[in-house]
Amino acid sequence: MAFSKLVFLTGLGSELVEEVLSYAPSDYEIVVLNETASEREIIRQVEDTDFLLCYRHDPSDDVLRSLKKCQLVQLLAAGYDRINLDILSELGIPCCNNGGANSWAVADQALLLMLAVYKQLLASDASTRNGEWAKPITGQNTFEMADKNIGILGFGSIGMQVAKRVQGFDAHVQYYDLNRLDDNTELEMGVTYASVENLFRTSDILTCHTPLTKSTRHIVNSRTLSMMKSSAVLINTSRGPVVDELALIEALSAGTIAAAGLDVFEKEPLDPDNPLLRMDNVVVTPHMAGTTWDTWARRAKFGFENMKRVSGGEAPQAVVKNFDEK
């Protein structure tokens, strides 16, 4: 029996590594390298690997250039901004993300942040525990999702799941994406296309679900924030640098927008001195949106099925595009 070699670069703990690899084909020779592995060892192992699987351990450019016979680089995450797609393109090696395996989880987190901000969840929890019954609630600072305009910046698998969820709260959905849906699909999904500027101007809640590229880096900036309603809320569960953090801090301090719910930041882990942590109108979580127990089986199954496709001469699914290529 011919064995395929798989190198798994990962920052996961042993139990989650075992869970992921439990879905691997039995005829794979698997080498697991965690973040303690040296660059030299990683290069030695990847030189003859057929597949490279990555999660929370990003391969360096030198590692990628050492892929002599690799047929596929498979990511278990949705994001791909920390891998050099130019090198993989030069080498003719496709790179695929998780095919939307964590889209439900991230959509849930986006909705959670919206509701936490709208219902003053953290302040109400703290006041109840401290014996200050309903102290934060004025009758003027909590809101409903119904009839609000939810603007979705980036309408891929995650953005579409967000749309379904907020529609369950009787909200209206508008979106912007480089690839606009056709009229019939928009009608079926109950969504409306908007330009970037109109999305910022007219959304009560604007939620970011775009990949990080040169064109989307700091797409939320002082100019676009100034277009937003003073009552608007910004949600970001995509990538930290999609938002110009200094501009956001200024907008929140000045009342340009009302509040924000953030799972991602320009620098992670978040600096303890970051002003966002001292703002009552901000809810923060530690880049956890896509991390649920439920996702691991979907991530793993998708990744290994993609490898089987490639081994069988088929094209892989969820090949990521380098939007920065000229």
Side-chain angles (χ1 to χ4, degrees):
M1 179 184 295
F3 282 80
S4 294
K5 181 176 179 180
L6 166 68
V7 172
F8 185 14
L9 296 183
T10 180
L12 292 174
S14 59
E15 290 186 4
L16 286 177
V17 169
E18 289 178 12
E19 172 65 16
V20 169
L21 295 183
S22 69
Y23 297 95
S26 59
D27 58 345
Y28 276 29
E29 174 194 347
I30 300 173
V31 177
V32 178
L33 297 174
N34 62 28
E35 292 168 312
T36 65
S38 68
E39 182 90 340
R40 182 177 179 179
E41 172 64 8
I42 295 172
I43 289 173
R44 185 180 73 82
Q45 290 290 353
V46 303
E47 282 179 335
D48 64 344
T49 195
D50 298 290
F51 302 105
L52 181 63
L53 183 66
C54 305
Y55 188 79
R56 289 185 182 172
H57 190 175
D58 306 316
S60 68
D61 291 357
D62 287 340
V63 168
L64 294 179
R65 292 194 185 281
S66 301
L67 297 172
K68 304 301 184 185
K69 55 175 290 193
C70 185
Q71 302 174 58
L72 173 69
V73 174
Q74 177 67 55
L75 310 178
L76 292 181
Y80 50 86
D81 50 282
R82 291 187 291 269
I83 192 164
N84 194 325
L85 296 178
D86 291 332
I87 291 177
L88 292 178
S89 180
E90 290 172 16
L91 296 173
I93 302 172
C95 178
C96 301
N97 70 2
N98 66 17
N102 66 344
S103 58
W104 293 344
V106 178
D108 286 353
Q109 186 82 6
L111 183 63
L112 170 69
L113 290 170
M114 294 176 198
L115 292 172
V117 170
Y118 258 14
K119 300 295 287 184
Q120 297 290 328
L121 178 64
L122 300 187
S124 297
D125 176 85
S127 69
T128 304
R129 293 175 187 273
N130 293 333
E132 298 173 318
W133 189 259
K135 182 179 178 181
I137 307 304
T138 67
Q140 298 171 298
N141 64 347
T142 53
F143 304 92
E144 301 169 357
M145 297 278 285
D147 280 334
K148 299 298 190 300
N149 289 324
I150 311 301
I152 302 178
L153 184 63
F155 208 61
S157 58
I158 295 172
M160 290 181 183
Q161 290 296 334
V162 172
K164 291 179 183 178
R165 282 155 176 73
V166 299
Q167 285 169 335
F169 287 80
D170 296 321
H172 310 293
V173 175
Q174 53 189 6
Y175 78 97
Y176 172 79
D177 193 274
L178 287 176
N179 301 307
R180 181 176 177 177
L181 303 175
D182 61 72
D183 292 345
N184 287 337
T185 304
E186 286 182 354
L187 187 63
E188 289 172 5
M189 296 187 69
V191 300
T192 303
Y193 178 83
S195 67
V196 171
E197 291 191 352
N198 281 337
L199 199 74
F200 278 91
R201 286 194 176 106
T202 61
S203 296
D204 296 298
I205 299 175
L206 190 142
T207 181
C208 302
H209 302 288
T210 179
L212 177 61
T213 66
K214 289 179 181 177
S215 61
T216 63
R217 182 178 294 272
H218 286 186
I219 192 172
V220 180
N221 53 50
S222 56
R223 184 183 71 87
T224 51
L225 286 165
S226 70
M227 299 175 184
M228 297 179 72
K229 301 176 181 181
S230 60
S231 58
V233 174
L234 177 74
I235 304 295
N236 189 14
T237 57
S238 57
R239 284 292 184 265
V242 166
V243 176
D244 182 339
E245 209 162 273
L246 292 178
L248 175 60
I249 290 168
E250 182 177 344
L252 289 164
S253 300
T256 305
I257 66 171
L262 308 169
D263 183 56
V264 290
F265 307 89
E266 291 207 73
K267 178 185 176 184
E268 296 178 357
L270 193 59
D271 191 319
D273 294 326
N274 192 307
L276 291 168
L277 297 178
R278 299 190 294 273
M279 293 182 168
D280 294 335
N281 56 345
V282 178
V283 176
V284 295
T285 53
H287 201 150
M288 57 170 282
T291 305
T292 65
W293 174 253
D294 311 81
T295 67
W296 295 114
R298 293 196 299 270
R299 294 173 195 255
K301 287 178 181 178
F302 181 84
F304 291 122
E305 285 169 2
N306 240 3
M307 294 175 200
K308 288 181 181 177
R309 290 186 190 98
V310 172
S311 294
E314 299 178 38
Q317 294 181 4
V319 177
V320 298
K321 299 177 182 178
N322 188 354
F323 292 102
D324 294 332
E325 282 185 340
K326 294 181 181 179

